[in-house]
Amino acid sequence: MTDEEDAEIRAGIACDPDAFDITDEMWARARPAIEVVPEIVAAYRRRRGPQKTPTKQLVSIRLDRDVVAHFRKPGPGWQQRVNEALRKVARLKPKDRARDITEPSPRARRRPPRGR
């Protein structure tokens, strides 16, 4: 970047009423996000990251549309419900944290409606 380009950018910033320099006083008053909006930080931290030791296997399976619709109808967590139904049919022991397949996952988040 040339000095002229830098000067032009700085002049544009100076003319913008919404742009301002953060002063030392502003930095002194700044607080961590966890203090200001703890619920947002907690929700962000709850998001699951990559598994350290994967316990499940990714597979591709074709299912009838009405079967998928049945499991998706209660909301998020449908793949877990399919897994639990398959465990039940295969007469496998439920996992320790397994729940009733008719109930949506307690960790499931409601999706916001599309559009505005």
Side-chain angles (χ1 to χ4, degrees), residues 30-46:
R31 297 183 350 220
I34 189 74
E35 291 179 14
V36 181
V37 283
E39 63 282 353
I40 293 174
V41 173
Y44 174 78
R45 289 181 175 168
R46 268 196 307 268

Side-chain angles (χ1 to χ4, degrees), residues 5 13 43-44 54 66 68 108:
E5 290 171 330
I13 292 171
Y44 174 78
D66 56 342
V68 174

Side-chain angles (χ1 to χ4, degrees), residues 18-34:
D18 293 328
F20 57 90
D21 287 330
I22 297 178
T23 65
D24 290 338
E25 180 185 330
M26 290 174 168
W27 278 119
R29 288 189 324 212
R31 297 183 350 220
I34 189 74

Side-chain angles (χ1 to χ4, degrees), residues 3 15-16 31 33 39-40 45-46 50 54-55 61 68 73 76 78 85 94-95 111 116:
D3 289 339
C15 293
D16 186 349
R31 297 183 350 220
E39 63 282 353
I40 293 174
R45 289 181 175 168
R46 268 196 307 268
T55 58
I61 183 173
V68 174
K73 189 174 183 178
W78 71 274
K95 293 284 186 172
R111 290 186 180 145
R116 293 183 183 219

Side-chain angles (χ1 to χ4, degrees), residues 12 64 71-72 87 112:
D64 293 331
F71 283 99
R72 282 187 168 172
R87 290 188 72 80

